[in-house]
Amino acid sequence: MTFAITLPIHRPNNFYNALDSFFDDVWAAPKRKKVEPISAIYNVTEVKNGYDISIAAPGRKKEDFKINVEDDILEVSYETPKESETSLILSSFNKTWRLPENADVEGIVGKYEQGILTLNVPVPDIARVSREIVIE
């Protein structure tokens, strides 16, 4: 029985390796980057009486938004029925937040100004605990 061992071709000069790489890159199919879906920008901030949720949604009308609270889950969504190839408007958005148990869901108010939807979620008596941690 005969065994043949094949070794990779060794290029004696880095110039040839660089030349091969150059032509491999030139003739290779263009590499495409994976495109991540675009998501609306939002921000949640703690304020004196609860939380403010701000969502950037330019080009919308306040009637476009659908805001629901069910079982301490706040859901904000909108959807554009027709899409335009030249439009930079996000076609749909859906985001949920779990509200604190003591959130006043009846007191949630929203306003839409200059492309920003702002929701105020009142939470009575937000417990602010502060203490120093001792390192052992």
Side-chain angles (χ1 to χ4, degrees), residues 1-128:
M1 184 183 302
T2 320
F3 291 101
I5 298 175
T6 57
L7 299 174
I9 299 173
H10 176 68
R11 305 274 161 108
N13 193 337
N14 284 339
F15 172 75
Y16 294 114
N17 290 338
L19 195 61
D20 284 346
S21 294
F22 172 76
F23 283 109
D24 286 345
D25 291 343
V26 169
W27 300 113
K31 294 178 180 143
R32 298 179 189 254
K33 291 183 178 180
K34 181 179 177 185
V35 177
E36 296 293 328
I38 299 172
S39 178
I41 297 171
Y42 62 89
N43 191 24
V44 179
T45 54
E46 186 176 353
V47 293
K48 184 178 180 181
N49 63 340
Y51 296 96
D52 278 345
I53 300 172
S54 302
I55 302 168
R60 300 274 163 209
K61 294 180 269 185
K62 65 180 182 178
E63 295 83 19
D64 293 343
F65 294 97
K66 184 177 175 183
I67 303 169
N68 293 320
V69 177
E70 185 177 326
D71 296 330
D72 292 332
I73 302 290
L74 172 67
E75 179 180 19
V76 178
S77 62
Y78 61 78
E79 189 169 339
T80 301
K82 58 181 181 177
E83 296 182 19
S84 170
E85 291 182 20
T86 60
S87 176
L88 294 177
I89 297 174
L90 191 62
S91 61
S92 67
F93 173 76
N94 188 332
K95 176 69 179 160
T96 59
W97 289 274
R98 177 168 296 281
L99 299 176
E101 290 180 11
N102 59 340
D104 179 13
V105 295
E106 298 298 323
I108 296 175
V109 292
K111 67 178 180 178
Y112 182 67
E113 293 179 338
Q114 299 179 353
I116 306 288
L117 172 67
T118 304
L119 300 171
N120 178 266
V121 180
V123 179
D125 302 323
I126 293 180
R128 289 183 173 82

